[in-house]
């Protein structure tokens, strides 16, 4: 995410997990890197029952404070053999005196209770609080309803969440709390999309999957949309590959309503309107190689795929 990723105040995101006992694999994780010397970082606001992994000496603490110099990293993690670790670190407050960058999520986990066979990596880079917004468009991936869930994380108290233009909030959450928007709110024919508006700036993550199999799950940080979106994504390299392995998947795109969307110069069809806002979405499969997405309006895109029990996702 480049320079937009650096800041001094963040909220931690990840899968809200519901299955205990996966201590040999499932976890939460957050990695912090300093961009300047003499950086002091404090993490607070999480469930005090959270147990952090530290080799053979796990520990609990109501907050963590540590010092870093430029380029140094600090990683916190905890396994799901402790009930508080399932969801208790989501929404934790990360603050620093100098700009830092944050990667967060789950090195292995899932949003469902699929068991030991339904797990994958769900980690994405975050942005600071001053870069989040109030308007979000999400496009459903190829997973089951249990894995395709938007996750809203509040930074401010009394954050109302509105879905698909409904004037009545579906939920109200306070600072550090999260809400999982039910999958049934995805709508559409050509593809399934959802519009989410919050009364105050909030973080948005999307749990999605490359196939109905629970073990193809992934986690994307979703940026807010607005007039500042580019009209070109150039390029997404080897869209169907990770290394030498070929995956089956696609691209999810949203752009302004009525805009002409092209992929490698080919005009795309079957746009799905987004309820209550002048935007539309596309779901395109069968792409190979390097792809360039252009639009006559602002555009953003996500990718997803699967190969057997492996899945991936990303966002541009």
């Amino acid at each position: 995410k480049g320079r937009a990723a650096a800041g001094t105040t963040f909220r931690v995101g990840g899968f809200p997990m519901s299955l205990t006992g996966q201590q040999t694999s499932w976890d939460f994780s957050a990695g912090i890197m300093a961009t300047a010397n003499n950086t002091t970082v404090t993490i607070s606001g999480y469930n005090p029952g959270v147990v952090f992994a530290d080799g053979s000496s796990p520990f609990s603490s109501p907050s963590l404070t540590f010092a870093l110099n430029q380029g140094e990293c600090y990683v916190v993690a905890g396994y799901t053999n402790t009930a508080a670790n399932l969801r208790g670190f989501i929404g934790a407050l990360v603050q620093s005196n100098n700009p830092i960058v944050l990667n967060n999520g789950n090195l292995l986990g899932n949003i469902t209770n699929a068991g030991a066979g339904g797990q994958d990596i769900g980690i994405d880079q975050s942005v600071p609080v001053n870069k989040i917004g109030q308007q979000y468009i999400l496009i459903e991936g190829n997973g089951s309803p249990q894995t395709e869930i938007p996750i809203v994380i509040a930074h401010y108290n009394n954050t109302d969440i509105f879905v698909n233009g409904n004037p009545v909030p579906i939920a109200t959450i306070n600072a550090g709390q999260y809400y999982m928007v039910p999958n049934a709110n995805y709508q559409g024919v050509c593809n399934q999309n959802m519009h989410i508006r919050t009364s105050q700036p909030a973080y948005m993550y999307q749990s999605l999957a490359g196939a109905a199999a629970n073990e193809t799950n992934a986690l994307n940080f979703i940026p807010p949309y607005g007039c500042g979106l580019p009209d070109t994504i150039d390029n997404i390299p080897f869209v169907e590959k990770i290394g030498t392995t070929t995956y089956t998947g696609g691209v999810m795109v949203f752009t302004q309503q009525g805009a002409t969307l092209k992929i490698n110069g080919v005009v795309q069809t079957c746009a799905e309107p987004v309820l209550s806002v002048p935007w539309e979405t596309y779901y395109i499969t069968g792409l190979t190689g390097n792809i360039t997405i252009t639009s006559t309006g602002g555009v953003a895109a996500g990718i997803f795929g699967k190969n057997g029990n492996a899945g991936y996702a990303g966002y541009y």
Side-chain angles (χ1 to χ4, degrees):
K1 295 178 175 61
R3 296 183 184 276
T8 58
T9 304
F10 299 78
R11 291 280 180 182
V12 171
F15 289 133
M17 297 181 290
S18 59
L19 184 69
T20 58
Q22 301 297 323
Q23 67 270 23
T24 59
S25 55
W26 289 31
D27 64 5
F28 67 81
S29 178
I32 296 164
M33 177 184 285
T35 67
N37 289 336
N38 302 312
T39 296
T40 300
V41 182
T42 298
I43 307 176
S44 61
Y46 50 83
N47 186 321
V50 163
V51 176
F52 297 100
D54 187 14
S56 60
S57 303
F59 69 96
S60 293
S61 176
S63 66
L64 299 173
T65 299
F66 47 90
L68 297 172
N69 286 324
Q70 183 179 21
E72 290 184 336
C73 301
Y74 190 95
V75 178
V76 296
Y79 293 114
T80 59
N81 56 335
T82 299
N85 288 7
L86 293 170
R87 303 180 176 207
F89 200 63
I90 297 173
L93 180 63
V94 182
Q95 297 173 297
S96 62
N97 63 326
N98 294 314
I100 57 174
V101 292
L102 169 69
N103 272 10
N104 53 202
N106 310 81
L107 189 58
L108 208 58
N110 206 321
I111 203 168
T112 76
N113 59 354
Q119 55 198 12
D120 208 339
I121 297 170
I123 288 182
D124 203 350
Q125 187 174 28
S126 186
V127 299
V129 165
N130 65 316
K131 298 292 175 60
I132 59 178
Q134 296 173 251
Q135 302 266 8
Y136 295 91
I137 294 171
L138 298 96
I139 307 164
E140 189 176 33
N142 207 30
S144 68
Q146 290 74 37
T147 56
E148 297 280 344
I149 304 289
I151 307 160
V152 183
I153 302 171
H155 180 66
Y156 301 99
N157 289 334
N158 301 312
T159 297
D160 295 325
I161 302 168
F162 303 90
V163 178
N164 291 335
N166 191 329
V168 179
I170 195 171
T172 300
I173 55 178
N174 290 324
Q177 295 180 336
Y178 67 89
Y179 180 73
M180 299 162 62
V181 183
N183 172 272
N185 290 283
Y186 278 112
Q187 65 82 41
V189 178
C190 283
N191 56 79
Q192 299 279 305
N193 62 46
M194 190 187 310
H195 174 243
I196 298 176
R197 178 177 67 86
T198 56
S199 61
Q200 302 186 79
Y203 283 90
M204 179 68 67
Y205 285 84
Q206 180 182 9
S207 171
L208 71 166
N214 289 320
E215 58 269 22
T216 64
N217 61 294
L219 184 74
N220 277 349
F221 169 86
I222 305 297
Y225 71 82
C227 58
L229 286 175
D231 59 11
T232 301
I233 300 172
D234 187 16
N235 60 28
I236 300 175
F238 303 106
V239 68
E240 85 286 15
K241 288 184 178 292
I242 298 179
T244 58
T245 301
T246 299
Y247 286 71
T248 301
V251 176
M252 306 173 292
V253 182
F254 75 80
T255 189
Q256 290 168 299
Q257 200 168 82
T260 299
L261 180 76
K262 296 180 181 181
I263 296 182
N264 290 346
V266 178
V267 176
Q268 301 300 305
T269 59
C270 206
E272 185 66 43
V274 180
L275 293 180
S276 76
V277 290
W279 295 80
E280 58 193 17
T281 59
Y282 294 80
Y283 179 101
I284 305 121
T285 59
L287 301 171
T288 60
N290 300 338
I291 66 169
T292 296
I293 302 172
T294 61
S295 176
T296 54
V299 66
I303 61 172
F304 67 94
K306 65 97 177 179
N307 180 302
N309 291 335
Y312 72 89
Y315 206 90
Y316 292 80

